[in-house]
Amino acid sequence: MKTEQILITDLAQQDEDIARAAARIRAGELVVFPTETVYGLGADATNEAAVRSIYVAKGRPSDNPLIIHIATPEDAERYALTNKTYYKLAEKFMPGPLTVILPKRASVCATVTGGLDTVAVRCPSHPVARALIEKAGVGIAAPSANLSGRPSPTTAAHAKKDLNGRVSMILDGGEAEVGLESTIVALDGEVGTLLRPGAITYDALCCVCREVKVAPAVVERLAENERPLSPGMKYRHYAPRAPLTLLEGEENAVLAYLKSLCTDKSIGILCYDEEIPHLQGGARLFAIGSAHDLQTQAHRLFAVLREVDDHPEITAVYAHLPPREGLGLALYNRSIRAAAHTVKKI
Ligand code: TXA
Ligand code: MG
């Protein structure tokens, strides 16, 4: 399949491009589109054959369900049984980087939900995503637009690298702002369970829900054969080719340890910007942002993990263990997965 790529620089002037992409969605084809979190690989959520082709294009296990992207919070009614807490969350955080899991309507096909009786809905804020969903007139089922197991794409180039020839169209809307996938919360009445941390933080959810639990898989390794609340949690994810070790300890002690590694050319280090002058010696450095600038670190993490794989000489990778507070929890969650839970205490 030939993949057409369209750059969207001025949405107001590019109605026709969006209309063409929306027509492809309605024709059952796959369209990659930007969101504020990461790029999505979209298909008409009401077309079972189209949804099935998402799993094929990504090489994704069929029991790992998809998120339905909607144009307005009210559109959730078409696919899910909503409640008051959903609308309170919507009022505060939608459109935006939040996915809510609710009981599904009978009409939603099992291919979207991986056979579960719940469905994930999300109303993204990216103007291109919103325009596409609105124009398509249907919910768009979309996982992140990467091959299964790879870091989620934060640019159209990342998505193209993974999916060129496997999708009908790629809409290039520039770099994704957040850089990590949406926060996922499952609702049971007024009680939420955080399944995947993201830019909408645990504390932010607590301002709306009566209680917010945290699914164990967010911070811990699942036991062999344990069934996670969110199927995606059990799969190997984001890992670079060379094994990643996370370093836990006081900042200066970790820097001293990194210094001891930095003469080795076969080592990659994901370091803070301010550490660069101290780590000159031969190791390949990947700056992830300033030490306390978690937003920049979130924005850069997946791109950096992809960059590491472009260096065949690297045989081991080291990075800081992120803090678990605020946006740090999302960085922590993605980092421990990329490191297969390998943490070294310094
Ligand atoms: O930011 C995002 O959420 C991006 C953009 C494209 O919107 N999408 C994304 O989709 O990250 P994906 O498929 O890569 O991750 C969706 C996660 C998976 O871990 C899946 O298991 C979980 O959501 N999920 C989907 N439906 C679920 C359900 N009914 N119950 C529990 N978990 C569910
Ligand atoms: Mg994904």
Side-chain angles (χ1 to χ4, degrees):
M1 178 191 308
K2 184 163 171 2
T3 299
E4 186 182 351
Q5 186 159 344
I6 297 181
L7 180 64
I8 309 286
T9 50
D10 185 356
L11 192 55
Q13 301 295 317
Q14 290 184 273
D15 273 358
E16 266 177 37
D17 289 329
I18 297 296
R20 278 178 55 222
R24 293 201 188 188
I25 291 280
R26 279 199 306 274
E29 296 178 18
L30 299 180
V31 175
V32 169
F33 62 98
T35 84
E36 70 282 16
T37 57
V38 300
Y39 274 71
L41 166 55
D44 177 351
T46 64
N47 177 336
E48 185 157 13
V51 174
R52 211 173 301 122
S53 69
I54 291 179
Y55 291 87
V56 177
K58 271 189 72 115
R60 180 178 176 112
S62 60
D63 68 345
N64 192 3
L66 307 175
I67 298 169
I68 300 184
H69 295 68
I70 51 182
T72 68
E74 293 72 29
D75 286 345
E77 300 297 344
R78 299 195 213 166
Y79 310 105
L81 303 173
T82 64
N83 59 27
K84 268 194 191 145
T85 310
Y86 168 78
Y87 281 105
K88 281 195 199 162
L89 286 169
E91 198 182 322
K92 228 172 148 89
F93 305 119
M94 293 183 197
L98 179 68
T99 295
V100 182
I101 311 277
L102 292 160
K104 80 174 192 82
R105 288 203 185 269
S107 56
V108 179
C109 65
T111 316
V112 170
T113 63
L116 298 176
D117 50 15
T118 52
V119 64
V121 290
R122 150 156 152 77
C123 178
S125 63
H126 195 294
V128 173
R130 290 175 61 84
L132 178 68
I133 302 163
E134 240 166 59
K135 195 80 190 170
V138 287
I140 297 187
S144 48
N146 50 282
L147 287 176
S148 200
R150 299 260 295 148
S152 298
T154 56
T155 66
H158 295 161
K160 187 172 182 185
K161 184 149 193 207
D162 282 14
L163 298 174
N164 197 24
R166 294 170 177 248
V167 299
S168 169
M169 190 182 265
I170 296 175
L171 294 178
D172 181 350
E175 274 186 34
E177 189 187 329
V178 177
L180 300 177
E181 308 90 339
S182 61
T183 300
I184 303 182
V185 64
L187 278 188
D188 180 5
E190 296 169 69
V191 178
T193 303
L194 180 66
L195 302 185
R196 182 176 71 183
I200 306 296
T201 61
Y202 172 84
D203 288 341
L205 294 174
C206 289
C207 295
V208 176
C209 299
R210 182 163 58 77
E211 183 192 345
V212 182
K213 300 173 184 167
V214 179
V218 168
V219 287
E220 288 159 25
R221 187 204 295 265
L222 287 171
E224 217 43 53
N225 297 326
E226 196 176 336
R227 211 173 153 270
L229 295 170
S230 178
M233 297 271 193
K234 72 175 180 245
Y235 296 108
R236 179 176 174 273
H237 221 302
Y238 316 124
R241 186 188 33 77
L244 169 65
T245 302
L246 300 173
L247 303 175
E248 180 177 14
E250 191 266 315
E251 249 171 57
N252 282 327
V254 172
L255 178 58
Y257 184 77
L258 291 173
K259 269 187 192 164
S260 75
L261 297 171
C262 80
T263 52
D264 188 338
K265 286 196 168 73
S266 68
I267 283 182
I269 300 176
L270 275 52
C271 63
Y272 300 138
D273 296 349
E274 43 278 62
E275 291 176 326
I276 292 174
H278 306 286
L279 295 175
Q280 300 300 322
R284 177 75 63 171
L285 305 181
F286 302 89
I288 60 159
S290 187
H292 301 287
D293 181 358
L294 298 177
Q295 268 181 11
T296 301
Q297 293 176 32
H299 179 76
R300 296 226 58 212
L301 179 69
F302 288 154
V304 163
L305 288 173
R306 281 175 176 264
E307 253 178 69
V308 170
D309 278 349
D310 294 336
H311 295 276
E313 74 282 7
I314 295 177
T315 58
V317 189
Y318 292 83
H320 294 269
L321 182 72
R324 294 198 199 182
E325 293 76 44
L327 181 58
L329 186 64
L331 274 163
Y332 180 95
N333 170 269
R334 305 315 189 274
S335 299
I336 54 171
R337 265 144 217 286
H341 293 267
T342 311
V343 177
K344 184 178 167 64
K345 285 205 166 82
I346 303 295

